[in-house]
Amino acid sequence: MQQLIIFHGHVQGVGFRYTTRQLARRFPVTGYVKNLPDGTVELFIDGDQDDLEQLVTAIQGRFERNFTRTEVTKQDTKEHYTSFDIRR
């Protein structure tokens, strides 16, 4: 399963991408995290539903005070990743 999640709030400049990468390495997921020009952070993850939910729960637990809103969209792309990385 693939999901695209956009995190709104104070999510840039707080170590969000690096922490998310560390958390993602605990689960068998692939994808990326990157800052967007509008101040939000984009997270694309691919993996089993349970692993995706556990990763998002871990991120929320670490940064819940930083979010004002999250947008979750299920994706069905042809793009597949072999690891989880930070994109610039």
Side-chain angles (χ1 to χ4, degrees):
M1 169 173 233
Q2 297 176 330
Q3 286 186 344
L4 179 68
I5 304 172
I6 305 294
F7 295 95
H8 297 260
H10 183 63
V11 291
Q12 290 189 14
V14 294
F16 188 94
R17 292 177 300 151
Y18 296 98
T19 301
T20 297
R21 181 179 61 187
Q22 285 181 310
L23 292 170
R25 289 180 176 166
R26 297 180 186 173
F27 303 97
V29 300
T30 59
Y32 65 86
V33 61
K34 75 175 189 175
N35 288 342
L36 298 178
D38 65 358
T40 60
V41 173
E42 178 179 281
L43 171 65
F44 177 85
I45 46 178
D46 190 356
D48 290 334
Q49 179 66 33
D50 288 342
D51 294 322
L52 300 185
E53 288 175 6
Q54 288 180 35
L55 172 57
V56 171
T57 298
I59 295 167
Q60 289 171 333
R62 194 65 73 88
F63 290 101
E64 67 184 330
R65 291 175 291 210
N66 297 75
F67 303 147
T68 57
R69 180 169 54 113
T70 58
E71 298 173 37
V72 179
T73 307
K74 290 183 181 179
Q75 299 287 297
D76 187 21
T77 67
K78 303 277 186 230
E79 218 170 330
H80 293 282
Y81 300 90
T82 58
S83 62
F84 189 90
D85 300 304
I86 294 173
R87 283 194 175 173
R88 309 237 179 249

